[in-house]
Amino acid sequence: MPLRRALCALLLTAAPLLAQTSNPAILKGADRIKVDDLKGDIFFLASEDMAGRNSGSLEDHIATDYIASEFLRLGLKPMGDNSTFFQKMDILTGRPDPEHITLSATVDGQKHSFRFNEDFTLARQSLRSASSCGDLVFAGYGISAPEFAYDDFSGVDVKGKVALVFTREPQADDPRSKFMGTLDSYHAFNWHKIEELRKRGAAAVLIIQDRVPRDVKPIPPTSPRPSGEPSYALDGQMWDIPVFLVKRTIADQLLAPSGKTADQLQAAIDQSVHPDSFSVRQSSACLTKSYTGVAKHEGRNVVAMLEGSDPRLKSQTVIVTAHHDHMGSYNGHIYYGADDNASGIAGLLEVARALTHNGVRPKRSVLFLAYDAEERIFLGSYFYVTHPVVPLNQTVATINLDMIGRNEDDANWPPPADHNVNMVNVLGTRYNPALRQVIDRENGRAGLKLDYKMDVVDPDSLWSRSDHFWFATLHIPQVEFQTGLHPDYHTQNDTWDRINYPKLTRIARLVYLSVADLANSDRKIPFLATGQQTQSRHDLQPK
């Protein structure tokens, strides 16, 4: 363990734990969170008439009206556009146009054309049709991680070039990894990697297919999951360059003038954990992405604040978040989205009600933020962090609630004898163990079984798949509560009557107590960019 990381761990371990919240009024607020209130919110949000709350749909706008009306009822301060509760954004939908999606290259003077959906596929990107050409630059993993003394961009310029990069990060899945062992850091995920390359001026990106696919056990659904949907993207700069996923054989063709193969380069970088980026002379590529039927829809985050009472601390903000959208209706199926994520919205609303009704205004401010388009790779939360309504450098922490209503039934994590009836996963505290201290402390009253296993190994990559992710990339303390995957995930069987309401009530109370603890303290929550090794209370390895 590097010395700096060891010292941070020692200081955090040695720091005396503060007592649990003991203010009688705050404790009484926790008792105000009740099963019937949660049940009522979820019954409405996941009703048949809400048609799955697809982002930008009339039904999802009704959901945002409902959330805003609750914020209004509580007397919270509107923090959206023009003194409303809504932060609006333009969301595009469209479908790939295979006839006009092309990849070609010139290698040692020879021209090559590649086949869409055979040699390459589309990766996540904007829906603006565009063409880009440029000389080829091999940029390793496309990562700049100064906290790990690793920078693929050192000594190489990707501006105006086509960047060829590996997916994930060096030594992925290796317990001895210089990065985070078996856990992927935020640098590993394409959502962040593509944005970093765009910001550095790359003309286009070619991501090299994994050498060995991840061993993830699928969860058989109880009914069909959505298929044939259009693509979604923000109307703006986010991921706005052509990005293709190419087979390793195609990468080898492009790399041929260097005399190296993708396997050789990846093995060398993984062994040395030292970048080996270079311009591939005599290689250039042209990428064209094309979409049809592109339409614009209004997306809406819902934003409200409970202002702090302390003149010095009120400028600091604790953020409580959940997403309100789901998958809509397709092929005769309504994807009701009770667990995903009417449960999170219900929890957020109950925390807001408890904080405003307990008679004790917190010292720090608390922002309640219901995101749009999480199901489309968290577009609403990206829009928020690029258009914040409170200064990001004054954000104490963000606590995200996404799927907090069921019992985990995931083949990658065989259920224990109690079938997880009282368990909630807590993800992300490896970056901010002081936040885990707060949650552990307040759970003495909530009485849940807290599982931190996904802070050690995360076969489903669940930590990277929700709205708190963008905060981690900005080194803002973040954590997610979620009760895990199950066979009803993204099916028509994710209905209000299948929620474990007693457990959901305890989770909402724990979140409320943790938020009250943070909001009534002047304690800073450090973000440890290198992460801190953590131990789960349960078996850490997926079977």
Side-chain angles (χ1 to χ4, degrees):
M1 178 183 290
L3 179 59
R4 181 166 59 87
R5 194 191 309 184
L7 288 172
C8 287
L10 179 63
L11 288 171
L12 285 167
T13 303
L17 290 178
L18 301 178
Q20 287 176 322
T21 297
S22 57
N23 185 305
I26 293 177
L27 296 178
K28 189 175 181 179
D31 295 334
R32 190 238 173 272
I33 297 174
K34 299 184 182 299
V35 165
D36 287 344
D37 290 334
L38 291 159
K39 190 177 292 186
D41 289 334
I42 294 174
F43 178 85
F44 175 77
L45 292 168
S47 66
E48 182 175 353
D49 291 335
M50 295 299 284
R53 309 184 309 280
N54 198 7
S55 178
S57 68
L58 171 62
E59 294 82 8
D60 197 39
H61 280 198
I62 293 171
T64 61
D65 287 340
Y66 177 78
I67 297 165
S69 72
E70 288 299 298
F71 290 162
L72 182 64
R73 190 190 317 274
L74 295 173
L76 298 176
K77 180 181 179 179
M79 296 294 290
D81 305 331
N82 302 315
S83 299
T84 71
F85 289 106
F86 302 119
Q87 184 184 47
K88 297 180 181 180
M89 70 205 81
D90 289 330
I91 294 175
L92 302 181
T93 58
R95 295 183 183 277
D97 179 11
E99 295 297 318
H100 298 97
I101 297 173
T102 62
L103 171 62
S104 61
T106 301
V107 181
D108 276 336
Q110 298 294 314
K111 296 187 179 298
H112 302 264
S113 294
F114 304 106
R115 296 161 296 180
F116 179 51
N117 283 333
E118 293 185 40
D119 299 323
F120 70 98
T121 59
L122 289 171
R124 183 66 57 175
Q125 56 201 284
S126 73
L127 298 187
R128 184 175 68 88
S129 296
S131 295
S132 293
C133 296
D135 293 336
L136 193 72
V137 171
F138 171 70
Y141 284 88
I143 286 172
S144 177
E147 67 270 29
F148 296 110
Y150 184 91
D151 186 2
D152 281 313
F153 303 108
S154 178
V156 68
D157 186 4
V158 298
K159 188 173 183 178
K161 308 293 179 59
V162 175
L164 181 68
V165 299
F166 293 121
T167 191
R168 299 183 72 188
E169 64 191 7
Q171 299 181 323
D173 299 322
D174 185 345
R176 300 164 298 177
S177 166
K178 177 180 177 178
F179 282 67
M180 286 192 174
T182 54
L183 187 73
D184 284 345
S185 76
Y186 68 80
H187 297 286
F189 298 100
N190 286 347
W191 346 123
H192 180 61
K193 186 175 298 191
I194 294 166
E195 265 299 272
E196 285 301 298
L197 286 159
R198 180 191 69 79
K199 291 175 182 177
R200 289 174 181 270
V205 180
L206 296 174
I207 301 175
I208 303 170
Q209 181 185 53
D210 268 340
R211 179 173 45 203
V212 179
R214 298 189 74 176
D215 182 19
V216 180
K217 298 178 178 65
I219 303 173
T222 55
S223 72
R225 291 186 172 130
S227 61
E229 302 170 278
S231 299
Y232 286 71
L234 282 178
D235 184 14
Q237 292 183 322
M238 183 185 190
W239 299 326
D240 194 24
I241 52 175
V243 186
F244 295 166
L245 178 69
V246 299
K247 288 185 174 180
R248 294 181 83 84
T249 53
I250 305 304
D252 286 345
Q253 289 185 47
L254 299 173
L255 287 164
S258 72
K260 300 176 182 179
T261 66
D263 282 355
Q264 291 169 343
L265 287 166
Q266 191 163 24
I269 294 173
D270 286 358
Q271 182 176 7
S272 67
V273 200
H274 184 76
D276 185 16
S277 302
F278 54 89
S279 295
V280 186
R281 297 181 180 179
Q282 304 301 316
S283 277
S284 62
C286 288
L287 292 75
T288 298
K289 59 173 181 158
S290 182
Y291 294 88
T292 61
V294 175
K296 185 179 293 187
H297 310 269
E298 181 186 287
R300 305 202 295 196
N301 292 337
V302 193
V303 201
M305 178 180 283
L306 176 62
E307 287 190 295
S309 61
D310 186 283
R312 181 175 61 89
L313 296 175
K314 65 185 297 184
S315 62
Q316 300 176 19
T317 307
V318 179
I319 306 182
V320 186
T321 67
H323 73 89
H324 55 72
D325 67 295
H326 194 54
M327 306 302 294
S329 302
Y330 291 98
N331 300 324
H333 301 280
I334 297 175
Y335 297 95
Y336 296 96
D339 186 29
D340 190 11
N341 185 37
S343 68
I345 291 295
L348 179 149
L349 291 175
E350 279 294 88
V351 171
R353 291 164 185 151
L355 280 169
T356 55
H357 287 156
N358 67 16
V360 180
R361 185 174 289 271
K363 296 177 181 178
R364 286 167 164 164
S365 296
V366 180
L367 188 73
F368 300 97
L369 182 46
Y371 293 120
D372 202 351
E374 185 275 348
E375 300 291 0
R376 312 305 174 180
I377 312 298
F378 22 99
L379 304 182
S381 53
Y382 178 91
F383 188 86
Y384 176 79
V385 299
T386 53
H387 302 81
V389 301
V390 295
L392 293 176
N393 63 4
Q394 291 292 305
T395 299
V396 176
T398 182
I399 297 178
N400 187 44
L401 313 180
D402 192 354
M403 297 178 60
I404 55 172
R406 294 289 295 267
N407 300 331
E408 185 173 78
D409 186 7
D410 182 345
N412 294 287
W413 301 106
D418 66 0
H419 296 283
N420 294 313
V421 295
N422 194 44
M423 183 276 286
V424 60
N425 292 302
V426 186
L427 288 70
T429 63
R430 185 164 183 171
Y431 283 112
N432 21 252
L435 191 51
R436 174 173 173 169
Q437 288 184 342
V438 172
I439 295 166
D440 280 338
R441 183 168 67 243
E442 296 302 337
N443 190 51
R445 297 189 185 279
L448 288 154
K449 183 168 70 175
L450 304 181
D451 204 327
Y452 294 94
K453 61 179 179 285
M454 294 180 200
D455 274 353
V456 180
V457 58
D458 186 7
D460 296 302
S461 295
L462 284 178
W463 175 79
S464 75
R465 288 165 52 183
S466 194
D467 292 303
H468 58 281
F469 175 82
W470 297 118
F471 288 86
T473 68
L474 297 170
H475 291 192
I476 296 170
Q478 47 66 51
V479 69
E480 176 180 87
F481 286 83
Q482 52 103 302
T483 49
L485 298 178
H486 48 79
D488 291 341
Y489 170 72
H490 281 199
T491 75
Q492 64 183 5
N493 295 321
D494 182 9
T495 53
W496 75 275
D497 54 322
R498 299 191 179 199
I499 298 294
N500 179 344
Y501 286 100
K503 179 168 75 170
L504 173 58
T505 304
R506 288 189 287 274
I507 294 171
R509 288 174 177 171
L510 173 58
V511 173
Y512 160 76
L513 290 169
S514 299
V515 171
D517 186 320
L518 289 166
N520 284 296
S521 168
D522 61 358
R523 184 183 182 190
K524 180 177 174 58
I525 303 296
F527 184 94
L528 305 184
T530 57
Q532 182 187 46
Q533 279 288 355
T534 185
Q535 290 291 324
S536 171
R537 300 178 184 180
H538 312 293
D539 184 8
L540 297 176
Q541 296 299 325
K543 305 298 184 185

